[in-house]
Structures are given as C-alpha cells and as structure tokens.
Amino acid sequence: MTVLAQQLVLGLLIGSLYGLAAAGLSLVFGVLKVLNVAHGELIMLGGYGAFWAVALLGMDPFAALALVVPAALVLGAVLFLGLFGFVMRADEETRIKNSLLIGFGLALALHALAVQLWTADERSIPTPYGGAVITVAGLSLPVVRLLTLALAFALIGALHLLLAHWRWGQAIRAAAEDWQAALLTGIDVRRAYLLAFAMGTALAGAAGTLVTIGYSISPSIGLEWTLKALIVVVLAGLGSMLGTFTGGLALGVAEAVSAAAFGGPYREVVGLVIFVVVLLVRPRGLFGR
Amino acid sequence: MLEVQGLEVAHGDVRALDGVSLTVGAGEIVALLGPNGAGKSTLLLTIAGLLRPRAGRVTWDGEDLRRVSPHLVVERGLAMVPEGRRLFGSMTVEENLALGAFAPRARAARERSLERVYALFPALRERRRQVVRSLSGGQQQMVAVGRAMMTNPRLLMLDEPSLGIAPRLVDAILDSLVDINRGGVAVFLVEQNVRAALALAHRAYVLEQGRIAAHGPAADLLEDPHVRQAYLGPFGR
Ligand SMILES: Nc1ncnc2c1ncn2[C@@H]1O[C@H](COP(=O)(O)OP(=O)(O)OP(=O)(O)O)[C@@H](O)[C@H]1O
Ligand SMILES: [Mg+2]
C-alpha cells in the first residue's frame, strides 16, 4: 500500500513538470495554431542554460530560473521573428504543414548544437540540499522535487493571471479565439503572436531548468518531452492553463500507477494509450473549451 | 472622408467586386443594399484591410489604406461590426467591450466610451459580468456594436446587424445607429432589411454582382422602380 502511495506521490511530482512543459506548447498551439515540435528541444536548451548558470556562474540552481526564463523569452522572440513568424501569413492548413517542417528542422539543429556544446552525456545539477528527504506518514518526499512542484505550480499560476488580467494577456486570448475579430478591435495580432510564442519558450526554459534540477537531461531528451507535452495537451485540451497543469499531474499519476501495476517498461506506454483513448472519446480534451 | 475608387476584389478565382466606387462623408448615414452574394461583406472587409484589392483603392481622409494593417485602420477611426458579430464568446460583456478600447487612442477615451455604450444599451450594463455566449442574439449584437464603438470611431461600418435577431431587438439596434450618428459618427450600414435601412439612411447604394447598380438619396431609391421591384416587392410591401 505504501509502495503504491509512494509511487503516486512521485508521479504527482514529475507530473507537475509534464504540466509545465505542456503549458508552453499549449499556449503556442492555442494562440498561433502552430504545433512547435521543437518544444522539447527548447526544454532541453533551458536545462543546459541552467546547467551553465550553475557550473559557470556558480548560481543556486533554483535562482538560475531568474536567468534562464528571461533568456528564453528573448530566444522565443528571435525564433518567432526569424522562423515561425513567416508561416503566420499563410492560411491555417499551410501554416500547420510549414510549422511542422520548421519545427523538425529546428529540433535537429538544436540537438546537434547541444551535442557539440555539452556532449551526449546525461547531466543533472547537484543542489546543496541534494538528497534531503522529508518523511510524512511513511512516504519519503525528496525536498528538491517538492520545490520543483511548488515552482511549477507558481509559474502556471502566474501565467494564468497574466492571461486573465494583463492587457496583452487579454489580447492574446482574443487573438486565439478569433484573430480577425481581434484585428477589428485594434489589436496588433502579430505582436500578440510574438508575445505568446516568447512566453511559450520561456515556459519551456523554466521546465528545462526544473527538469535538470530534479531529474536529468541529455541532448536527446527533446522528443520525449515534446511527446509528453503533446499527450498532456490532448488530455487537457486547449484554453485553460490550470487545466493543462492538472492534465500533467494526471499523466504523472497514470504513469506511476501503470508502472506499479505492470512494471517499469509500461510507464511510457500508458501515456500513448491515454493519448489515443482521449482522442477517440473526447477529442477536445478533458478540460477543453 | 471615406472614398472607394474602382475597387476590384477576388476570392481566389471568384471575382466578388468588379469596379466599385463610393463615398461616405462625415456625419452621414449611408446604406449599402444588395442580394446575397453581391459582394457587400467583401467590400467592408476590404475597407477594413482584412482583404486586399486586386485593383482600385480605398482612401480615408486622403490617405491610401491599402498598405495599412487592419488594427491601424481601426486606430485611424474606422470601426467595423462584422457579419455574424464575431465576439469573443468565452469572455464577459465587459471584457469584450474593454478589448474594443485596446488601441492607444481608444484607451485614452475608455471610461467615456464605456458610459456611452451603456447609455446606448442599458441591458448590457446589467449583464456586464455575463459570458457573451450565454446572451441572446440581439444582446450579442449590442455587444458587437458596443465593442466597435469602444474603438472611438468616426465611421462605423456594420455588416447586416439585424441578421438572425428577434424583430423587437432589430429596432433597438437600428435606432441605436441614429443615436450614434447624432453623436457625430458616420454610419455605413449593410442591410438586407431594405425598408428599415432606407428609412434610416441619408443616401444608399445598391450592389449587385459586384457592381453598383443604383445610388442616390434614400428617399429617391424608395421610389426607384428597379429598387421597388427587386427589393420591396411589386406593391412596395
Ligand atoms: N472566402 C471566400 N472564398 C471564396 N468565395 C467567397 C468567399 N467569400 C465570399 N465569396 C464569394 O464572393 C461573392 C461575394 O460574397 P460576399 O460575402 O461579399 O457577399 P454578400 O453580399 O456579403 O452576401 P451575403 O448577403 O450573403 O452576406 C460570393 O459569390 C461569394 O460566394
Ligand atoms: Mg455578407
């Protein structure tokens, strides 16, 4: 019983990062109608950014967020202006096709870059509080992972508030719902797209940082994280960041349960099964609007 | 103020406008009439900058609008209520109205514009926290007109505002246009409700198959044999 409970808790902890990873993908997909298949590589890049901040600058791993997130924001703006912005002129179908091509190209390039800069080895960031564990009711809770969960939740909350109350957050939601109507109300829709893409990339950077702290990264984790994020987006649907976060937690728990029930290798299968089942039963996702 | 000259617009291979010229002056109410598929929506969307003409041009206070991005057309004082309202359905009445005042010039006048919209449509004030999707068609149309008025325009273009709305509310919407016009805003109204539109307008154009088939003072068009026969029935119903 405690074994299962322990697995569930660990599932929740990793699930919070699935949710954070998915939030950026969901924002970009929901607003620009562009599926950025390089999202996982952006997470990977964020992870290495944090790795550098700690290794080269001697920063506290969590404080690295304060560096990685703004840097990722700028990177996102550059990627939009240099790559993804061009597809936005096309109609929706061409846009999706072209953005897939750009995304795959970008993913390959970033992967190659990461191997050059950091080698193909797996890395993680050692933290001063390292292996500290809190024990509650017989469950051991690693402090570092508890902190990653708390930070992931805080970031999602901040994003939610920005989209709900910030002027440009409302403009982003308006552009997501009907870009032509948004133009007719005087919103610079291209700028709303730029902001949404930059914010999506910043979220990827944050997710990467937390993944590197609580878990580990290597240049090849991109595809895996893109897939996790995509599963969560399908599971949760578009339109609600809190829904996306909940979807991430659900995926983490589902993986933990299936690993406990059928053994470790099935951990990766359950997400894909959920993916297919949700698409068949509820194509707009559990929380989709 | 608004001047359209020799406008030609196509949707792919389908030619929708074939040399349309018209003007709307400051403070005027001008109606644009015509059957389904005549190109009325195409004309408004082109003026707003959402469609680009193949030939001809649109000028606003002497400025060529062809290269101006749609959100900047709004900033110059030209607002549009699109066909089918196109509201942000998941947002509240007040959020929709606030988005109308997004651009800098409109934002400066935001409080005053909001009061003006609520004075125009008191029903919206009561429902300001309601999600737009839950409103009736007529109330949604009020939000659509209100959202466009929040941009603080000098010319308001409306694409069939009475479409799919209960008759009682059609009058409320059309009456509001007279109020809006009294406030100094020119109105360019696309309508299939010909009798109501001509009662309201100073001048009117009739668009058929992408060309202007008739134009003149509204009173004259009411007497025009072609207009009477095509749009008002043989006995001027
Ligand atoms: N997106 C589009 N793609 C292809 N053809 C279009 C498109 N929109 C309009 N058309 C065609 O262009 C012509 C003019 O259409 P438009 O919508 O401007 O007419 P309308 O006068 O507004 O009609 P309605 O009264 O039905 O709204 C029609 O022949 C229509 O079929
Ligand atoms: Mg139309």
Side-chain angles (χ1 to χ4, degrees), chain B residues 41 83 159-160:
Chain B
S41 299
E83 188 171 57
D159 196 347
E160 303 200 36

Side-chain angles (χ1 to χ4, degrees), chain B residues 5-228:
Chain B
Q5 289 168 325
L7 208 61
E8 290 177 25
V9 182
H11 299 281
D13 293 335
V14 185
R15 174 168 288 201
L17 294 182
D18 195 4
V20 170
S21 300
L22 54 79
T23 60
V24 180
E28 270 195 305
I29 301 182
V30 176
L32 179 67
L33 315 171
N36 288 329
K40 306 182 295 296
S41 299
T42 302
L43 177 61
L44 290 202
L45 290 170
T46 309
I47 294 172
L50 284 170
L51 293 173
R52 295 296 169 192
R54 190 175 270 189
R57 57 198 201 134
V58 177
T59 52
W60 171 247
D61 287 340
E63 184 193 8
D64 189 343
L65 285 185
R66 273 175 306 181
R67 300 239 163 276
V68 179
S69 171
H71 72 277
L72 295 175
V73 171
V74 178
E75 181 68 355
R76 283 163 174 60
L78 226 163
M80 168 161 165
V81 180
E83 188 171 57
R85 306 185 279 273
R86 306 286 288 268
L87 294 170
F88 306 117
S90 69
M91 301 188 199
T92 65
V93 169
E94 200 147 79
E95 282 176 314
N96 271 272
L97 294 178
L99 281 165
F102 188 84
R105 192 180 53 82
R107 198 146 58 106
R110 180 180 158 155
E111 294 307 318
R112 198 156 25 92
S113 306
L114 194 61
E115 279 315 307
R116 197 165 54 163
V117 168
Y118 284 150
L120 217 48
F121 305 115
L124 294 188
R125 191 195 295 273
E126 296 154 27
R127 292 175 173 77
R128 64 182 184 275
R129 305 223 179 283
Q130 226 166 301
V131 171
V132 154
R133 234 199 306 269
S134 70
L135 300 179
S136 76
Q139 290 162 349
Q140 288 191 15
Q141 192 66 58
M142 291 176 187
V143 180
V145 174
R147 186 178 67 182
M149 286 307 293
M150 291 297 291
T151 68
N152 202 11
R154 284 185 294 138
L155 169 61
L156 179 66
M157 305 192 285
L158 303 102
D159 196 347
E160 303 200 36
S162 66
L163 203 67
I165 288 172
R168 188 172 46 85
L169 289 174
V170 169
D171 289 342
I173 301 273
L174 294 181
D175 288 348
S176 76
L177 299 183
V178 176
D179 284 344
I180 287 169
N181 181 247
R182 281 206 197 98
V185 179
V187 174
F188 188 33
L189 172 67
V190 167
E191 258 300 338
Q192 298 218 29
N193 193 338
V194 171
R195 186 168 293 280
L198 287 178
L200 207 78
H202 307 129
R203 291 192 300 122
Y205 293 86
V206 177
L207 188 66
E208 288 174 0
Q209 292 176 21
R211 295 165 189 267
I212 300 291
H215 68 103
D220 292 3
L221 284 179
L222 266 176
E223 301 306 322
D224 183 281
H226 171 71
V227 172
R228 289 181 74 89

Side-chain angles (χ1 to χ4, degrees), chain A residues 25-104:
Chain A
L25 189 74
S26 173
L27 183 65
V28 170
F29 189 48
V31 177
L32 287 79
K33 321 290 185 239
V34 151
L35 185 61
N36 179 13
V37 289
H39 191 71
E41 272 71 20
L42 294 176
I43 292 175
M44 179 266 292
L45 216 56
Y48 279 111
F51 177 74
W52 256 359
V54 172
L56 303 182
L57 305 176
M59 291 180 83
D60 176 87
F62 287 107
L65 276 178
L67 199 73
V68 172
V69 169
L73 204 61
V74 173
L75 174 67
V78 170
L79 286 177
F80 180 83
L81 292 173
L83 288 176
F84 288 92
F86 292 107
V87 287
M88 299 313 292
R89 299 202 188 114
D91 61 84
E92 211 159 293
E93 200 179 315
T94 332
R95 192 189 291 182
I96 290 177
K97 268 189 293 194
N98 290 357
S99 66
L100 281 177
L101 292 177
I102 291 180
F104 279 121

Side-chain angles (χ1 to χ4, degrees), chain A residues 34-240:
Chain A
V34 151
L35 185 61
N36 179 13
V37 289
H39 191 71
E41 272 71 20
L42 294 176
I43 292 175
M44 179 266 292
L45 216 56
Y48 279 111
F51 177 74
W52 256 359
V54 172
L56 303 182
L57 305 176
M59 291 180 83
D60 176 87
F62 287 107
L65 276 178
L67 199 73
V68 172
V69 169
L73 204 61
V74 173
L75 174 67
V78 170
L79 286 177
F80 180 83
L81 292 173
L83 288 176
F84 288 92
F86 292 107
V87 287
M88 299 313 292
R89 299 202 188 114
D91 61 84
E92 211 159 293
E93 200 179 315
T94 332
R95 192 189 291 182
I96 290 177
K97 268 189 293 194
N98 290 357
S99 66
L100 281 177
L101 292 177
I102 291 180
F104 279 121
L106 182 65
L108 287 175
L110 292 179
H111 177 260
L113 179 77
V115 172
Q116 279 296 315
L117 287 177
W118 297 292
T119 77
D121 293 345
E122 204 164 283
R123 290 177 199 263
S124 71
I125 301 181
T127 54
Y129 5 94
V133 169
I134 304 176
T135 311
V136 179
L139 301 173
S140 22
L141 308 172
V143 172
V144 168
R145 291 189 186 184
L146 279 176
L147 276 172
T148 60
L149 177 127
L151 279 170
F153 184 67
L155 284 164
I156 294 284
L159 176 68
H160 173 79
L161 291 177
L162 278 178
L163 290 176
H165 300 298
W166 181 37
R167 221 165 79 76
W168 277 100
Q170 289 171 340
I172 286 171
R173 283 193 295 141
E177 211 167 313
D178 186 336
W179 63 272
Q180 287 183 321
L183 280 171
L184 289 177
T185 60
I187 293 169
D188 185 346
V189 167
R190 203 179 144 77
R191 183 182 287 186
Y193 286 160
L194 169 74
L195 281 170
F197 195 88
M199 284 162 73
T201 309
L203 286 164
T209 304
L210 297 182
V211 169
T212 315
I213 296 173
Y215 305 85
S216 68
I217 49 165
S218 74
S220 56
I221 61 163
L223 180 59
E224 188 186 322
W225 279 91
T226 299
L227 267 177
K228 299 275 192 220
L230 198 57
I231 292 168
V232 173
V233 169
V234 168
L235 187 63
L238 296 169
S240 156

